[in-house]
Amino acid sequence: LYTTIGYQDFTQAVYHLKAAAEDDFVPAYNLLGIVLLSKKFSGRDPKLAWIWFEKGAEEGIIAAKLNQATYLKRGENGIVDFQKAYEILESLVLDDQNEIAAYLLALLILSGECEVKDQEVARKYLELSSGKDWQPAAKFLDSNDLLTGPFVLNFWEDYIL
């Protein structure tokens, strides 16, 4: 019903994912959040998407936690909150050594949009991420001088299935 390529029926996807999520099928939580945020869905509902990401995060779905950070970075609820995004990502790195979270943390630091602005801390996160074969991090480390400024947030990954 919902695919990233080809035929997309968001109304049916929401209908079925919501039924599954309300039946406590945990994998549906994150997917429902993503579909509810799609600009292609006429019933787009960022507030409800957050609720489902939150439920997924509470159940330990790493993608849901990453998506919460992306949601906050994009200001899907009308308010950009880089610091809260930073805190979510930092907990993923501390708890799970998650390479995607480490990469996104580095981007936040290099952007200058959060409290931590130390490029060496950003480099540490990029090295952790690259060491786990996350290629976007490896590309950042290829240059001697790390890119800085708000534009680095353009390298942020999209919502994660």
Side-chain angles (χ1 to χ4, degrees), residues 37-100:
L37 279 176
S38 174
K39 292 184 177 166
K40 295 178 182 177
F41 177 48
S42 62
R44 188 172 192 274
D45 189 340
K47 289 180 182 174
L48 190 55
W50 177 262
I51 291 169
W52 289 109
F53 285 151
E54 199 166 45
K55 284 180 173 268
E58 288 169 3
E59 292 293 333
I61 299 173
I62 290 174
K65 293 176 185 180
L66 292 167
N67 288 336
Q68 283 182 306
T70 299
Y71 180 104
L72 293 166
K73 175 253 183 193
R74 289 185 173 183
E76 295 283 4
N77 63 350
I79 301 168
V80 173
D81 192 340
F82 292 119
Q83 193 57 40
K84 180 130 170 88
Y86 185 95
E87 291 165 10
I88 291 168
L89 295 169
E90 185 178 47
S91 73
L92 278 171
V93 171
L94 294 174
D95 296 345
D96 302 313
Q97 296 289 296
N98 184 275
E99 64 274 16
I100 300 171

